[in-house]
Amino acid sequence: MSTIYKEYLLQSEPNKFSLNNLKAGEMIVNMGPQHPSTHGVLRLEVVTDGEIIQEVAPHVGYLHRCFEKHAESMAYNQTIPYVDRMDYLAAMNSEHVWCMGVEKLLGITEQIPKRVEYIRVLVTELNRIASHFVAIGTYAIDIGAFTPFLWMLRDREHIQRLLEWTSGARMLYNYIWVGGLYYDLPVGFEERCREFIDYLLPKLDELDVILLENKIFIDRTANVGVLPLDVAINYGCSGPMLRGSGLRHDLRRVDGYSVYPELEFEVPIGQGLAGTLGDCWDRNYVRALECRESIKIIRQCLDQLQGDHKRTPDFDPQAACPKKMRMTGTQELYFRGETPRGELGYFFRTTDRSDVPFRCKGRSPCFSNLSVLHEISRGCMVADIIAIVGSVDIVLGELDR
């Protein structure tokens, strides 16, 4: 191999670890970027000593699409389709956070009709369940359990059809708009949604038996990838990663945005029931419990949407949508919300009388959660890194932006 070719190879595939610094018996193994268990185009550079992991370095950026620069070149409402494509498994949640941030900049938060707020929470909680179903199902198949994957995708399909009925799209919705919604719920949606959640609850009981209580699943995930609470906090982890380590921290409760303060639900945390607090099993356990809490929230939203805030002929979901988004003065705002993967935040810097942000930055929970990978992988077996990466539940579209 020529010297020039070696230099080009190093530039195209940069390594953190050098062959010259390896100890006797160590080797560098690449997983990805195209790999069935990295949940996207993620490259892991792993230093192993036999079957034991010594170090691991994630290499990101293979799916980078310049979200921030796109957002800085178009109006706030025009960016919503780009927001959808960040966490494409939970687009409603991403839209919700973006729109609430822009509404706070405009000072119209209090003008949003209550029916709009309850519909927003309803569709985001449906999307949260759908996202967790993908996380749990693909995690099961990563470590050899095929049936739960089929069950999760089957039930997720019901949610996809409900959201498609609402917005016209299966995954990338552009449904939540700044100041309101694209359209009201279809006639009969509330009844169909009740039928679905009544059907779903027994399925979650079956999931507990076939997966969470399965001895093989417990052996593969308990005491693996243990994330101590202090490490989780220091690395900025959030969502099920943080709650799996025992901290009851949920932005729907902490910040109390939208109508969440009016709703009753619990914040599940890991308890170390199958192994050590903060292990892979606990993170999966928290996601399964969050699906049950989302069902509670959906029931309460349906009660409101069929009760005090039921549909009326004169209801216009776009009534509070500003026709032109002119900011007053120069403002800076960081707004955050709880998505299925944790704290999604947007930083805005505005300029006077402009409807295009001067600066926009997305804070991805996947990026922070993945940054702790090397801390929780040291000393594990090579096969365990598949279980650890799956338990982090990353979406590369959001991680790379």
Side-chain angles (χ1 to χ4, degrees):
M1 185 185 294
S2 67
T3 305
I4 296 177
Y5 183 76
K6 285 181 179 179
E7 291 178 1
Y8 285 153
L9 186 65
L10 289 174
Q11 291 174 10
S12 63
E13 291 292 342
N15 289 327
K16 178 181 180 182
F17 307 112
S18 170
L19 295 173
N20 301 325
N21 298 330
L22 295 182
K23 299 175 183 176
E26 292 183 346
M27 63 179 178
I28 298 176
V29 178
N30 273 301
M31 289 177 56
Q34 278 75 34
H35 189 281
S37 294
T38 52
H39 295 253
V41 278
L42 170 70
R43 173 175 166 241
L44 300 177
E45 184 186 354
V46 186
V47 177
T48 67
D49 183 356
E51 284 285 319
I52 306 300
I53 296 170
Q54 302 300 314
E55 279 291 343
V56 57
H59 290 259
V60 302
Y62 292 91
L63 203 62
H64 183 49
R65 291 170 295 179
C66 306
F67 166 78
E68 280 94 355
K69 285 302 171 188
H70 280 304
E72 291 164 13
S73 63
M74 57 186 62
Y76 295 93
N77 56 336
Q78 294 176 327
T79 308
I80 295 173
Y82 292 86
V83 173
D84 281 336
R85 287 157 174 82
M86 289 175 59
D87 184 353
Y88 41 78
L89 294 178
M92 287 290 191
N93 301 81
S94 304
E95 290 176 18
H96 195 198
V97 179
W98 174 270
C99 290
M100 285 190 297
V102 178
E103 287 159 5
K104 191 164 186 179
L105 283 172
L106 293 167
I108 62 172
T109 302
E110 301 302 321
Q111 301 174 24
I112 310 300
K114 272 299 177 71
R115 179 170 174 83
V116 167
E117 292 281 20
Y118 279 109
I119 293 174
R120 285 179 172 186
V121 172
L122 172 67
V123 294
T124 54
E125 292 305 319
L126 282 170
N127 212 173
R128 189 184 307 276
I129 296 174
S131 175
H132 282 338
F133 279 4
V134 174
I136 296 169
T138 54
Y139 187 52
I141 206 170
D142 279 348
I143 54 180
F146 196 76
T147 302
F149 171 74
L150 298 178
W151 288 7
M152 294 290 95
L153 269 289
R154 174 200 65 197
D155 294 334
R156 175 177 176 264
E157 182 65 24
H158 296 308
I159 299 176
Q160 297 292 89
R161 289 174 179 173
L162 285 171
L163 295 178
E164 183 181 12
W165 188 23
T166 304
S167 66
R170 282 175 56 82
M171 287 184 66
L172 308 170
Y173 306 105
N174 192 15
Y175 179 67
I176 298 176
W177 284 8
V178 176
L181 301 167
Y182 164 64
Y183 202 70
D184 196 0
L185 292 176
V187 176
F189 183 90
E190 295 92 334
E191 291 78 11
R192 286 280 296 277
C193 193
R194 280 192 192 278
E195 291 175 10
F196 168 68
I197 59 177
D198 289 340
Y199 152 86
L200 188 60
L201 269 175
K203 303 301 178 186
L204 294 178
D205 295 335
E206 292 177 1
L207 175 67
D208 290 347
V209 174
I210 197 173
L211 191 66
L212 295 180
E213 299 171 11
N214 185 293
K215 185 180 187 305
I216 299 174
F217 182 79
I218 292 173
D219 289 345
R220 285 298 310 274
T221 57
N223 302 310
V224 173
V226 177
L227 175 60
L229 181 56
D230 59 335
V231 176
I233 293 172
N234 289 338
Y235 275 85
C237 296
S238 57
M241 281 285 286
L242 179 61
R243 292 191 287 274
S245 296
L247 183 62
R248 208 177 295 275
H249 183 274
D250 189 311
L251 295 179
R252 294 172 294 176
R253 279 279 183 249
V254 174
D255 289 354
Y257 56 85
S258 191
V259 291
Y260 282 111
E262 303 172 22
L263 303 172
E264 294 182 7
F265 63 97
E266 300 296 325
V267 178
I269 58 172
Q271 302 173 48
L273 299 179
T276 307
L277 178 64
D279 58 16
C280 292
W281 190 91
D282 265 343
R283 291 190 278 276
N284 205 64
Y285 171 70
V286 166
R287 292 187 183 99
L289 290 183
E290 283 187 6
C291 293
R292 296 179 181 274
E293 297 305 317
S294 290
I295 288 176
K296 292 181 186 177
I297 294 173
I298 290 168
R299 282 194 193 279
Q300 294 172 69
C301 290
L302 292 173
D303 290 341
Q304 292 289 338
L305 293 172
Q306 291 180 305
D308 295 341
H309 305 288
K310 62 185 177 182
R311 74 175 75 241
T312 56
D314 60 338
F315 173 69
D316 181 8
Q318 299 181 19
C321 293
K323 299 298 181 284
K324 198 70 173 176
M325 299 180 189
R326 297 296 193 191
M327 300 296 171
T328 55
T330 301
Q331 305 179 58
E332 289 188 357
L333 172 71
Y334 175 74
F335 193 89
R336 61 183 186 172
E338 188 73 32
T339 71
R341 280 152 198 88
E343 178 185 330
L344 173 64
Y346 295 106
F347 170 79
F348 303 93
R349 179 178 294 159
T350 72
T351 50
D352 192 26
R353 308 301 296 167
S354 175
D355 63 345
V356 177
F358 176 79
R359 179 76 177 95
C360 177
K361 176 74 171 69
R363 190 269 186 199
S364 163
C366 295
F367 189 85
S368 299
N369 291 346
L370 185 67
S371 67
V372 80
L373 182 66
H374 67 285
E375 292 280 1
I376 61 180
S377 298
R378 290 194 197 101
C380 293
M381 305 285 282
V382 171
D384 289 337
I385 199 168
I386 303 299
I388 295 170
V389 171
S391 73
V392 176
D393 184 24
I394 54 174
V395 170
L396 267 295
E398 183 186 85
L399 192 148
D400 288 343
R401 299 185 300 287

